[in-house]
Amino acid sequence: KVPAVKRTTEESKDLILSFLQRTRRIAIITGAGVSTDSGIPDYRSPGRPPHRPMMHQEFVGHEDNRKRYWWRSMHGFHVMTSSQPNDSHFALSTFEALSDTSSPSPSLSEKQIQWLGLSATQIPKLRLSPSLSGIVTQNVDGLHIQ
């Protein structure tokens, strides 16, 4: 059974790592909600105004629609480029690195090592037993690979 985790704590990290070490194969599937803690809004959270994507005919049919579209894109670009990875992104990239068997020791960044709360000497011993089949995400922000 996959452990339910609402906040990242030392205990939740241990639960997830323990689960992953007991699992043979795993795929990680996420949605846009992974990035809300980084300040990137989603469209389904409580309190969000209703959102309907602009259709192609609307875009090409009227200049005001194109102006509104490009204004929103420029605003969104600033939000996306100023956002920083959060614990979920670090977890995704760390799990990916820990399941990579192409090198004798996992290749982790300093931030990932700090996130795990391990010393550099503990890293070569830490290898997840499952093979990570893949990470499927609806994120367009790329924060999990930063």
Side-chain angles (χ1 to χ4, degrees):
K1 181 180 175 188
V2 177
V5 175
K6 296 214 184 269
R7 293 269 181 242
T8 303
T9 63
E10 292 308 312
E11 183 181 352
S12 67
K13 289 179 198 177
D14 291 343
L15 273 172
I16 296 293
L17 286 171
S18 173
F19 167 76
L20 290 171
Q21 288 173 326
R22 293 189 319 267
T23 306
R24 289 176 16 113
R25 291 188 65 86
I26 191 162
I28 298 173
I29 303 170
T30 71
V34 165
S35 296
T36 56
D37 285 347
S38 291
I40 296 175
D42 65 5
Y43 296 107
R44 296 186 184 131
S45 292
R48 295 283 302 161
H51 175 76
R52 186 181 62 79
M54 185 179 296
M55 304 309 282
H56 180 261
Q57 289 301 340
E58 293 172 276
F59 180 83
V60 298
H62 201 279
E63 183 179 356
D64 286 345
N65 289 344
R66 291 189 294 279
K67 286 179 181 178
R68 182 173 59 95
Y69 175 87
W70 289 116
W71 181 88
R72 290 187 70 220
S73 294
M74 290 303 296
H75 174 72
F77 179 77
H78 173 70
V79 170
M80 299 281 274
T81 58
S82 63
S83 298
Q84 296 297 310
N86 63 46
D87 279 348
S88 296
H89 300 115
F90 284 120
L92 290 171
S93 64
T94 302
F95 296 153
E96 186 173 40
L98 290 174
S99 64
D100 178 11
T101 57
S102 65
S103 65
S105 178
S107 175
L108 299 174
S109 71
E110 287 297 319
K111 286 184 180 181
Q112 289 170 316
I113 293 169
Q114 288 172 348
W115 182 82
L116 283 168
L118 300 173
S119 70
T121 58
Q122 293 171 300
I123 299 301
K125 300 174 193 166
L126 183 62
R127 175 72 75 192
L128 295 180
S129 59
S131 85
L132 182 63
S133 298
I135 295 177
V136 179
T137 177
Q138 294 178 349
N139 290 340
V140 295
D141 52 46
L143 290 174
H144 67 287
I145 57 174
Q146 285 189 14

